[in-house]
Amino acid sequence: MSQTLQASTLLAVPMAPLVGSALAGIFGTRFGGNKIGRGLTHSLTILGVFIAFVLSAMTLQSVALDGARFNETLYTWMVVGDLKMEIGFMVDGLTAMMMCVVTFVSLMVHLYTIGYMEEDEGYNRFFSYISLFTFSMLMLVMSNNMLQLFFGWEAVGLVSYLLIGFWFNKPTAIFANMKAFLVNRVGDFGFILGIGLIAAYGGTLNYTEAFAKAAELGALTFPGTDWMLVTVICICLFIGAMGKSAQFPLHVWLPDSMEGPTPISALIHAATMVTAGIFMVTRMSPFFELSDTALNFILVIGAITALFMGFLGLIQNDIKRVVAYSTLSQLGYMTVALGASAYSVAVFHLMTHAFFKALLFLGAGSVIMGMHHNQDIRWMGGVRKYMPITWITSLLGSLALIGTPFFSGFYSKDSIIEAVAESHLPGAGFAHFAVLAGVFVTAFYSFRMYFLVFHGEERYDQNPELKHGDHAAHHGHDDHHGHDDHGHDHGPHESPWVVTVPLVLLAIPSVLIGFYTIDPLLFGEFFSDAIFINADKHPVMHELSHEYHGAVAMAMHAFSSAPFWLALAGVVSSYYMYMINPAVPAAIKRVFNPIYVLFENKYYLDWFNENVLARGARALGTGLWKGGDQAIIEGGVVNASWKLVGWVSSLTRQLQTGYLYHYALVMILGVFLLMTWFVWLK
């Protein structure tokens, strides 16, 4: 590929998954008459994503090695005055990295789905959805303007609604997809307000043009207040990110997204939807660097999410929900890095996290398949000898997650902790405590799950809920893929190769990619033209560069640092409590029962949303309907108007007799009154 990237090549990246999705969705479903079978459906969609991945890898190579860049408008959709609404691409280091992450993880998920959804009735429909999901995310990350960004932003939200509620006959899935949809609309309202303010005061939706006017916007105040306009813009934009990237208090939808099949859980949590908010804030760094208030807000929100969502992972027994709360916590880490102006560190963790989190989710799905649809980690144990590939890859993913030196997660996670330590924002102290405490919490719940699943006594035949004839009661967990519908009394078994191959391919970058990419991504020129940092006000990255002496030295130094010992303490504590002395967790639960109840009820945020916000909204709607629409508009305006007309008509009807002498009398009285007015009264 040349120094100048070709528009046609870049256009093929999102279009290939879209074509695959369209073919599968139209001709592979009842909508188009089921003209193609399962084999052709997954072949077309996988081919589309594979083409997108290859072209993305070529683009990354060209960007990284040759310095190639692309920023052009492909199509002008509409012009309103001086405001242009365009479709175009901007490809730099940030975009190229995101393209590769999205397409690679999506490709692994597509391969995995062949085995996981093998006997599901919606097989073709599912492949269509996940390809469409990939297209939407690619349009988001490749955009060169905020209109296209918003299109991709809403498209991933729409497809997530379809995927979370994929099993649409299941009440919990219906509730979960509606919850995700509504919570994201709350965030998106703030997001579109931020975009609207940029368009109103900047007069453009194009990134390059808007960033050029950032300084001008930074000098303005919000009308009617003394607030900085750029602060309002940034907080509105970040509220959008709070919804998409599941930050407190708009995080409540993400754990419930587990109601969708495991492959989509991996795709949403690892590489696509939840990373959109992190990407967007990074892309908008020229605006965020102008407001310390907005950065501090981001820092505190991220710290709360990183620590307090991690706490909820401690008590989860559903294998997928443990990984889900891990995602919430790690998204908090990324957000903390954004608040500390360490944008490159945030997207570095986004990249490493995408690989090991996809690995952990797909590993969890493999365990569910091998355990005959059981998702409760309390009824597993000893799975290691039956599922060796799933075991070793899950171990590698867990070690990466907790930040083990030399693993990918270590380089990105430790960089976040160090960046926060160097920040001088008011909330940096709390954030530093939160991310350090989060290291112990993450290690504890990750290895609690690992030990309960893969080690210890075999408990899979003791589950009181999984009995013969009770399978229907569990229809709607991840048993829809249809494997081993009748064999709960058999032992666990390893998953087929279409499941294990993606695990192995994801395990490789989970271990290695951090080591090989930390230099160019954090301390090189890879993001130099994609991320703007005011080094005078926010010298965090400058300080980190002074402390960094190479990937090997960083890992060796970690063995004497607090994060390593906190992670080790978490692993050892979980081993002792669940492998050596299982009575300890029960005793802790009894002693701290109020806290356990608080965690079990997820800080009562769901209760508050459902019983206060939702009920209040319904009450307001009912009041406007009954009082406003029915009483005032229908009863007062509409009905009163025709009654008034009828009353006036009844009066005038008495005057309109049809007799000439009555009209003559009225005329005479009229003339008399006029003469009286003009002669005596005027």
Side-chain angles (χ1 to χ4, degrees):
M1 194 172 288
S2 63
Q3 289 276 338
T4 305
L5 299 170
Q6 298 297 317
S8 57
T9 303
L10 294 175
L11 186 61
V13 175
M15 292 306 296
L18 179 63
V19 170
S21 172
L23 292 173
I26 295 173
F27 300 110
T29 63
R30 283 182 292 179
F31 178 78
N34 289 312
K35 297 193 182 296
I36 59 176
R38 294 188 170 205
L40 188 55
T41 294
H42 69 234
S43 298
L44 289 170
T45 51
I46 291 172
L47 178 63
V49 177
F50 178 73
I51 292 171
F53 169 65
V54 171
L55 294 177
S56 296
M58 293 169 60
T59 302
L60 179 63
Q61 181 185 27
S62 190
V63 167
L65 301 181
D66 303 329
R69 295 292 188 270
F70 186 91
N71 186 8
E72 291 181 14
T73 296
L74 303 182
Y75 176 71
T76 300
W77 178 49
M78 186 167 54
V79 179
V80 182
D82 296 329
L83 187 65
K84 295 181 179 179
M85 300 183 185
E86 302 167 330
I87 297 171
F89 295 143
M90 181 168 78
V91 179
D92 49 22
L94 177 61
T95 300
M97 185 206 74
M98 290 294 299
M99 288 165 62
C100 285
V101 169
V102 170
T103 53
F104 178 74
V105 174
S106 178
L107 180 61
M108 296 300 101
V109 168
H110 275 71
L111 290 172
Y112 180 94
T113 300
I114 296 174
Y116 198 85
M117 302 292 286
E118 183 180 359
E119 297 182 21
D120 195 280
E121 293 180 358
Y123 186 90
N124 293 358
R125 177 167 58 93
F126 189 79
F127 271 99
S128 177
Y129 286 172
I130 57 177
S131 281
L132 185 61
F133 203 63
T134 308
F135 158 77
S136 304
M137 193 64 191
L138 287 169
M139 289 296 288
L140 189 157
V141 300
M142 295 175 69
S143 64
N144 73 340
N145 63 85
M146 284 167 267
L147 176 71
Q148 189 174 327
L149 172 72
F150 189 73
F151 163 77
W153 193 269
E154 293 300 311
V156 294
L158 172 63
V159 186
S160 73
Y161 173 85
L162 298 173
L163 285 164
I164 295 169
F166 181 77
W167 293 313
F168 50 80
N169 291 321
K170 181 183 170 191
T172 51
I174 297 169
F175 182 81
N177 71 357
M178 187 60 69
K179 187 176 182 179
F181 190 81
L182 292 176
V183 172
N184 272 276
R185 297 296 74 73
V186 173
D188 294 352
F189 181 69
F191 185 50
I192 200 168
L193 284 178
I195 293 175
L197 287 171
I198 294 173
Y201 289 92
T204 183
L205 292 171
N206 185 275
Y207 289 155
T208 306
E209 295 173 3
F211 298 157
K213 296 182 179 181
E216 294 178 31
L217 296 178
L220 301 176
T221 57
F222 191 72
T225 70
D226 57 353
W227 303 340
M228 290 175 60
L229 176 65
V230 72
T231 297
V232 178
I233 290 173
C234 290
I235 289 176
C236 285
L237 292 174
F238 181 66
I239 289 171
M242 287 168 66
K244 276 290 183 289
S245 292
Q247 296 299 291
F248 176 91
L250 300 182
H251 68 278
V252 293
W253 68 271
L254 193 59
D256 287 350
S257 68
M258 300 297 97
E259 294 295 336
T262 294
I264 194 52
S265 301
L267 201 53
I268 287 178
H269 286 247
T272 53
M273 188 170 170
V274 297
T275 64
I278 308 299
F279 167 82
M280 182 272 293
V281 174
T282 304
R283 177 61 79 195
M284 298 292 181
S285 59
F287 288 116
F288 283 90
E289 283 298 287
L290 296 172
S291 175
D292 280 5
T293 304
L295 289 174
N296 202 66
F297 178 69
I298 294 170
L299 191 67
V300 172
I301 291 293
I304 293 171
T305 308
L307 182 58
F308 289 92
M309 296 304 109
F311 284 149
L312 299 185
L314 297 172
I315 66 162
Q316 302 301 316
N317 295 315
D318 185 311
I319 188 171
K320 287 174 63 179
R321 288 188 179 269
V322 177
V323 187
Y325 280 103
S326 164
T327 302
L328 281 171
S329 181
Q330 297 308 303
L331 286 167
Y333 275 84
M334 298 175 208
T335 305
V336 164
L338 296 175
S341 292
Y343 305 97
S344 56
V345 180
V347 293
F348 182 42
H349 193 53
L350 182 158
M351 178 193 68
T352 60
H353 173 266
F355 297 117
F356 61 72
K357 186 51 55 72
L359 172 60
L360 287 171
F361 262 114
L362 299 186
S366 179
V367 169
I368 293 169
M369 291 173 63
M371 296 296 294
H372 311 284
H373 325 302
N374 174 29
Q375 294 182 206
D376 196 325
I377 60 177
R378 293 171 298 180
W379 309 112
M380 296 184 183
V383 176
R384 172 174 60 93
K385 59 184 162 184
Y386 300 102
M387 306 180 70
I389 299 175
T390 303
W391 162 62
I392 193 65
T393 52
S394 296
L395 175 60
L396 294 174
S398 299
L399 290 171
L401 171 62
I402 69 171
T404 307
F406 292 103
F407 283 70
S408 294
F410 157 75
Y411 291 101
S412 54
K413 199 170 183 178
D414 253 42
S415 297
I416 293 173
I417 296 170
E418 292 177 18
V420 178
E422 298 292 344
S423 177
H424 301 297
L425 292 174
F430 166 68
H432 189 239
F433 164 76
V435 294
L436 273 178
V439 172
F440 173 85
V441 174
T442 302
F444 185 90
Y445 67 65
S446 299
F447 274 83
R448 168 181 175 264
M449 178 183 72
Y450 170 77
F451 290 132
L452 287 176
V453 172
F454 295 105
H455 294 273
E457 297 179 0
E458 298 177 3
R459 301 177 302 277
Y460 55 85
D461 57 347
Q462 302 173 25
N463 189 349
E465 296 183 353
L466 291 179
K467 304 293 184 183
H468 287 291
D470 195 38
H471 181 72
H474 295 272
H475 194 71
H477 274 291
D478 266 25
D479 54 349
H480 287 257
H481 46 68
H483 292 280
D484 296 316
D485 208 19
H486 50 275
H488 296 303
D489 54 338
H490 299 317
H493 60 82
E494 187 61 275
S495 301
W497 71 268
V498 287
V499 170
T500 56
V501 167
L503 295 180
V504 174
L505 293 176
L506 284 166
I508 296 169
S510 298
V511 177
L512 300 175
I513 201 164
F515 180 88
Y516 288 104
T517 59
I518 184 171
D519 282 288
L521 265 59
L522 297 195
F523 309 108
E525 301 295 317
F526 190 76
F527 292 133
S528 59
D529 58 341
I531 296 172
F532 171 78
I533 299 175
N534 186 342
D536 294 329
K537 291 178 64 179
H538 310 124
V540 167
M541 293 306 298
H542 182 70
E543 296 294 332
L544 286 184
S545 65
H546 282 303
E547 297 175 5
Y548 179 73
H549 303 290
V552 175
M554 181 178 176
M556 295 305 296
H557 176 264
F559 289 107
S560 60
S561 65
F564 171 77
W565 291 105
L566 285 168
L568 183 61
V571 174
V572 172
S573 299
S574 65
Y575 182 79
Y576 176 76
M577 290 188 190
Y578 293 96
M579 293 291 100
I580 297 176
N581 192 356
V584 174
I588 294 174
K589 180 182 175 181
R590 286 194 303 273
V591 174
F592 298 99
N593 191 61
I595 297 175
Y596 181 86
V597 172
L598 181 66
F599 289 171
E600 196 172 40
N601 287 279
K602 296 176 277 189
Y603 306 116
Y604 292 96
L605 288 171
D606 280 338
W607 180 91
F608 178 80
N609 289 335
E610 293 168 23
N611 293 279
V612 178
L613 295 182
R615 187 170 293 180
R618 287 196 300 269
L620 178 63
T622 302
L624 292 173
W625 168 40
K626 295 286 188 181
D629 189 33
Q630 290 189 343
I632 297 174
I633 297 174
E634 291 183 15
V637 178
V638 177
N639 291 337
S641 62
W642 71 257
K643 288 179 180 178
L644 178 63
V645 170
W647 179 74
V648 172
S649 300
S650 66
L651 294 178
T652 55
R653 192 180 300 116
Q654 303 300 320
L655 301 175
Q656 296 289 346
T657 62
Y659 294 111
L660 184 61
Y661 57 84
H662 284 168
Y663 298 135
L665 177 62
V666 171
M667 291 173 64
I668 293 168
L669 290 173
V671 171
F672 175 76
L673 292 172
L674 285 171
M675 290 179 66
T676 303
W677 169 258
F678 282 106
V679 175
W680 285 289
L681 299 178
K682 192 171 180 180

